[in-house]
Amino acid sequence: MLALRTDEPPRRAPAIWRTMLNIDRGLVNLVGRLTVTGRIPAQLRGRPLLMAANHIGVFDAFVLMAACKRIGINPRFMLAGGILDAPVIGPALKLSGHLRVDRKHAGTAVGQFAEAVEALRTTREPIIVYPEGRISHDPGLWPERGKTGAARLALAAGVPVIPISQWGAHEAVYWGTETVTGPADLVPLARSGLSAPLRRPRFRVHFGEPVDLSEVEPERPGAGVRAHAKIMQAITDGLVPLRRDEPDLPRFHDPTRPTDTVSPWKPRP
């Protein structure tokens, strides 16, 4: 792993991001009940770190932010370019230091990968990624196959990977639609979101042990695939106890979420 100088004081997160995290904590407490388990080992705090989480709903990033705040870390996210280009929230997120990902532009993606590797090597704040790239379409909401980008990023930067498993955030707000074309597309999200404080869903977030990638040689062909499998398996292993009473289908039914894929990571009976 990359050795980091220890004589440099930890850099505080930008004030705007600390403010957003504090507001988010209040929002999550209003909407539901948050339980956080696991930890970030002391020796990994204040050094480069990649955190990989499963993606279960449009509200789960808010829950992750609140969970990180509870254990005393200020994470940054790898975000789609469309979010960073959005009015009002986009500039605020840019100032907060989040990393941009444009999957549709291959040439741009190469440069962004190099920038992300360098950011990982130099930052003292954890960076959160969603290896799946989208909210799971598996009927049981188990992790999708995902992409190897996060694993390749960790290997190239030589940083530890912490798996984050989460459950319950999907109950706060419906999936909705892939593309918002008008006000009508926002109605299901608004109805579910406004009723969430009355339903008080329980949000569970678990920070797992660092994924052991020591046997994965970055230079060998297929290294990204092997590292990705280890990361996704670790996320799934942490998810099992969070949804022990919902091993197959979620109790909460979201009629708007597509269910057209099958998770390769779902535990077999």
Side-chain angles (χ1 to χ4, degrees):
M1 295 299 178
L2 183 71
L4 208 67
R5 289 177 57 186
T6 58
D7 57 346
E8 298 179 1
R11 183 175 68 87
R12 296 189 72 189
I16 188 172
W17 182 231
R18 297 199 307 272
T19 300
M20 292 172 71
L21 286 171
N22 286 327
I23 294 173
D24 171 78
R25 180 170 55 181
L27 173 65
V28 171
N29 288 337
L30 172 67
V31 172
R33 299 159 292 161
L34 174 62
T35 299
V36 180
T37 55
R39 64 189 181 92
I40 304 297
Q43 66 271 23
L44 296 186
R45 289 176 177 261
R47 60 168 293 180
L49 178 65
L50 187 69
M51 301 198 298
N54 59 316
H55 205 356
I56 59 174
V58 298
F59 195 69
D60 68 16
F62 297 96
V63 173
L64 288 180
M65 289 160 57
C68 287
K69 187 68 176 178
R70 181 171 293 186
I71 65 172
I73 58 176
N74 298 313
R76 289 188 290 165
F77 285 81
M78 296 195 73
L79 299 173
I83 297 176
L84 293 175
D85 292 335
V88 184
I89 189 65
L93 291 173
K94 288 178 182 177
L95 289 173
S96 299
H98 298 283
L99 303 184
R100 184 187 190 96
V101 178
D102 284 314
R103 301 184 185 91
K104 294 183 179 180
H105 305 287
T108 305
V110 172
Q112 288 173 349
F113 183 84
E115 291 176 5
V117 169
E118 181 60 23
L120 263 179
R121 286 174 173 167
T122 57
T123 186
R124 286 175 176 263
E125 298 163 344
I127 293 178
I128 295 180
V129 296
Y130 289 114
E132 295 167 87
R134 67 177 185 180
I135 296 169
S136 175
H137 287 200
D138 175 72
L141 207 52
W142 289 95
E144 288 194 321
R145 181 172 301 279
K147 305 180 186 302
T148 62
R152 292 187 292 107
L153 186 60
L155 291 175
V159 301
V161 178
I162 293 290
I164 305 178
S165 308
Q166 62 170 323
W167 189 245
H170 60 290
E171 298 184 20
V173 181
Y174 279 170
W175 180 88
T177 180
E178 193 76 44
T179 304
V180 176
T181 58
D185 293 331
L186 299 176
V187 171
L189 283 77
R191 285 179 176 171
S192 56
L194 291 174
S195 68
L198 301 176
R199 295 183 279 109
R200 300 289 292 167
R202 182 180 176 188
F203 308 133
R204 304 175 178 91
V205 178
H206 178 70
F207 295 88
E209 293 296 319
V211 181
D212 183 7
L213 299 179
S214 59
E215 296 182 357
V216 179
E217 300 178 28
E219 297 79 14
R220 295 191 61 182
V225 174
R226 291 189 293 275
H228 173 71
K230 286 178 173 288
I231 293 170
M232 296 306 299
Q233 189 60 59
I235 293 173
T236 304
D237 290 345
L239 180 59
V240 170
L242 300 186
R243 53 175 298 179
R244 195 178 302 278
D245 55 347
E246 301 175 73
D248 296 315
L249 297 177
R251 280 196 305 265
F252 181 82
H253 175 62
D254 179 354
T256 69
R257 182 175 66 89
T259 54
D260 54 5
T261 63
V262 177
S263 168
W265 314 112
K266 178 182 177 179
R268 304 303 177 208

